[in-house]
Amino acid sequence: MNYCVVGLQWGDEGKGKVVDILAEHSDIVVRYSGGSNAGHTVVVGDSKFALHLLPSGVVRPNVNCIITNAVVVDPEVLLNEIETIAKKGITLKGRLFISENAHAVLDYHKREDQLREESLGKNKIGTTIRGIGPCYADKAGRSHAVRMGDLRNLQQLKEKLQTIVNYKNKVFTAVYPAQRWAEPISADAIFEKCKSYADKFLPFIIDTTEFLHNSIKDGKSILFEGAQGTLLDLDHGTFPYVTSSNSSSLGMSAGCGVPAKYVDKFIGVVKAYTTRVGAGPFPTEQDNEIGQYIRDRGHEYGTTTGRPRRCGWFDAVAVSYSVRIGAIDEIALMHLDTLAGLKEVKICTQYAIRNTHNEVTTWFPANINKLAQAEAVYETLPGWDEDITDVKDFQKLPPNAQKFISWIEKLTGIAVTIIGVGPKRSQTIFRIH
Ligand code: GDP
Ligand code: IMO
Ligand code: MG
């Protein structure tokens, strides 16, 4: 079986945990989009891994890990990650493969991300400042792009970097005030770093599309790991408060060169509530003691940036949209344990949009002007007090928690087959439908 795991909200749904669990029965785990803006947490016993670029199958020693074409790779972050997990006894020799066509995030991308965000003031997107947008922009612009395969020809790369850095220095000097933009970027310094990356990465760089198609022919089981979430998708999310890639399941085929027809099951990951980091409309946001309760109990602080996550109720309008556009087969519902202790829990069932037409809709308007006008209409359900972190069986969950899940299934039209009741592998309930 080949699975694709994808976030259905604004990221941080618990994809890392779900991928790590499913990787037990996979030969290959594939990261197909995004970059080090992602932070995927895997908890194994007492060890916690915060992964940014390495696929979350990495902690399972027999799994091959692939980083494909549409991932933007920050070589510095990836090296750090490889060294960090090596210290925990995990080696990647012979089982990590990076696409020669994956674009490289270099220092000037991170600088540009930061300068642009600072210059936007209160209108900033709230990016992770990992250089993601500028790198994808260079990819689309083509002439100033550097790909991992370019590390194979250092002389050519040196010349390319001179041209790119010259251009960037001119643009940054012209656009950004001098106090923010003190030091010109040095092409030589970036080249020296690239030279050291070449030594480290060349053994890992291959044509990952060929590798994956051969693996499919050989009957290997492949797990595709999404980053971010559907509502952060560049084309289908809440633009411009999105990331710069197709982070919904629609980005999977283009991201790795494997058509969706080879995927047997798309598993959508959600939390039992909603979180968002960065700016943008969020109809079910609870900027109050409920949101704080969820933030405290769920430890809702960014894995990548440490920022407090905005918290709110489960939004069935948003999730149903993600289910529809992503052809999602089943839901993994994480953090059910976090809601324990609330007297009542709410699910948003539709939006009232207070415009000239006074619409009521169950279709998520990705247009943010409309979304900003949306008022969440809720179904209120009784909560539960019991600690459920040791529950192993759906039938043993408090009846109100079971009812909450049934509502989600009714509203989204698909089954909840995996339920998270804590961060550990063992704190997971599986349901067969
Ligand atoms: P990802 O980006 O989708 O992989 O999610 P993150 O790793 O950024 O954030 C999810 C957080 O929730 C991590 O700290 C996980 O260890 C934790 N987590 C995952 N599932 C559960 C769960 O069911 N209950 C609780 N309490 N924590 C969970
Ligand atoms: P994972 O894979 C949550 C958000 C940022 C910002 C917007 C644009 O861990 O779920 P970017 O740096 O991509 O240009 O930022 O997207 N964002 C995420 N939010 N989880 C993520 O990844 C995210 N990756 C990007 O906070 O709002
Ligand atoms: Mg995350």
Side-chain angles (χ1 to χ4, degrees):
M1 291 282 270
N2 298 332
Y3 294 105
C4 179
V5 171
V6 62
L8 301 186
Q9 296 163 322
W10 279 286
D12 300 327
E13 297 90 347
K15 298 175 293 294
K17 174 178 165 173
V18 174
V19 168
D20 167 59
I21 287 172
L22 296 178
E24 189 182 358
H25 305 291
S26 306
D27 299 306
I28 302 168
V29 178
V30 178
R31 252 298 290 279
Y32 61 80
S33 72
S36 60
N37 49 350
H40 296 175
T41 314
V42 173
V43 179
V44 184
D46 293 332
S47 278
K48 190 168 170 173
F49 300 82
L51 303 165
H52 301 288
L53 281 161
L54 288 173
S56 300
V58 74
V59 293
R60 306 227 178 232
N62 298 324
V63 169
N64 281 329
C65 294
I66 320 288
I67 296 173
T68 65
N69 303 27
V71 177
V72 286
V73 178
D74 183 332
E76 205 165 342
V77 174
L78 185 55
L79 265 184
N80 254 327
E81 228 174 300
I82 292 172
E83 282 163 12
T84 306
I85 74 158
K87 284 189 195 132
K88 294 189 177 182
I90 296 173
T91 73
L92 285 157
K93 222 167 158 212
R95 67 184 189 99
L96 172 67
F97 300 99
I98 304 163
S99 169
E100 59 193 357
N101 293 342
H103 286 248
V105 178
L106 298 173
D107 287 348
Y108 48 80
H109 292 125
K110 291 178 262 193
R111 186 89 74 95
E112 187 176 347
D113 202 355
Q114 186 180 5
L115 287 167
R116 195 182 295 183
E117 281 286 271
E118 280 176 8
S119 73
L120 285 170
K122 67 176 178 34
N123 294 323
K124 68 180 181 185
I125 290 167
T127 74
T128 57
I129 320 277
R130 296 298 164 116
I132 306 301
C135 183
Y136 277 116
D138 277 348
K139 168 180 163 174
R142 294 150 297 163
S143 48
H144 288 162
V146 174
R147 307 208 283 187
M148 293 302 282
D150 291 337
L151 295 175
R152 288 188 185 128
N153 190 336
L154 288 173
Q155 189 48 42
Q156 220 174 53
L157 178 61
K158 190 171 188 179
E159 288 160 24
K160 201 176 198 178
L161 281 171
Q162 284 294 354
T163 311
I164 297 171
V165 170
N166 253 336
Y167 174 86
K168 299 275 179 196
N169 278 333
K170 279 190 198 142
V171 172
F172 293 176
T173 310
V175 173
Y176 299 106
Q179 69 272 24
R180 293 221 178 100
W181 171 233
E183 289 263 314
I185 296 164
S186 154
D188 287 342
I190 296 182
F191 177 69
E192 285 308 313
K193 281 193 190 178
C194 286
K195 243 166 64 181
S196 72
Y197 300 147
D199 287 342
K200 302 253 165 53
F201 283 122
L202 283 183
F204 297 114
I205 295 174
I206 62 161
D207 178 338
T208 53
T209 311
E210 182 186 16
F211 181 95
L212 287 174
H213 280 273
N214 286 339
S215 304
I216 290 168
K217 225 191 296 164
D218 293 344
K220 302 283 186 211
S221 90
I222 308 177
L223 176 56
F224 299 92
E225 173 179 9
Q228 289 80 51
T230 304
L231 305 175
L232 288 170
D233 187 289
L234 179 61
D235 292 299
H236 305 285
T238 50
F239 189 89
Y241 301 103
V242 292
T243 191
S244 300
S245 63
N246 287 119
S247 52
S248 66
S249 69
L250 296 167
M252 176 246 137
S253 326
C256 65
V258 175
K261 77 170 188 178
Y262 292 110
V263 176
D264 299 289
K265 213 178 261 187
F266 282 93
I267 298 176
V269 189
V270 296
K271 278 175 182 152
Y273 46 91
T274 312
T275 62
R276 174 161 209 178
V277 219
F282 179 178
T284 63
E285 182 167 19
Q286 298 299 301
D287 190 10
N288 54 30
E289 68 286 359
I290 299 278
Q292 192 57 45
Y293 183 86
I294 293 173
R295 190 175 303 112
D296 290 344
R297 280 186 57 89
H299 307 291
E300 292 296 354
Y301 295 87
T303 312
T304 299
T305 58
R307 290 178 290 179
R309 294 176 180 147
R310 299 157 67 191
C311 299
W313 294 119
F314 187 87
D315 185 341
V317 178
V319 171
S320 299
Y321 167 79
S322 299
V323 164
R324 293 280 287 282
I325 70 160
I328 303 300
D329 297 295
E330 293 174 10
I331 284 180
L333 178 79
M334 313 312 283
H335 276 270
L336 186 66
D337 53 302
T338 300
L339 293 184
L342 290 167
K343 230 172 139 150
E344 43 189 39
V345 287
K346 295 190 184 195
I347 298 178
C348 169
T349 55
Q350 52 185 6
Y351 294 160
I353 299 178
R354 306 269 174 235
N355 56 15
T356 43
H357 312 293
N358 274 337
E359 293 170 62
V360 172
T361 182
T362 52
W363 181 258
F364 182 78
N367 174 318
I368 57 147
N369 294 327
K370 241 180 170 184
L371 190 62
Q373 297 167 339
E375 265 174 40
V377 178
Y378 292 106
E379 181 70 34
T380 301
L381 305 168
W384 57 94
D385 265 333
E386 297 89 329
D387 175 3
I388 58 170
T389 51
D390 287 326
V391 175
K392 305 272 179 260
D393 180 354
F394 180 78
Q395 305 304 336
K396 302 258 167 65
L397 284 171
N400 287 344
Q402 293 188 30
K403 238 179 260 165
F404 177 77
I405 293 170
S406 302
W407 262 95
I408 289 175
E409 291 183 319
K410 192 173 123 191
L411 290 163
T412 57
I414 57 171
V416 172
T417 54
I418 298 174
I419 299 160
V421 292
K424 295 183 187 158
R425 283 173 175 169
S426 59
Q427 292 175 308
T428 313
I429 299 171
F430 298 93
R431 280 168 90 206
I432 300 181
H433 275 256

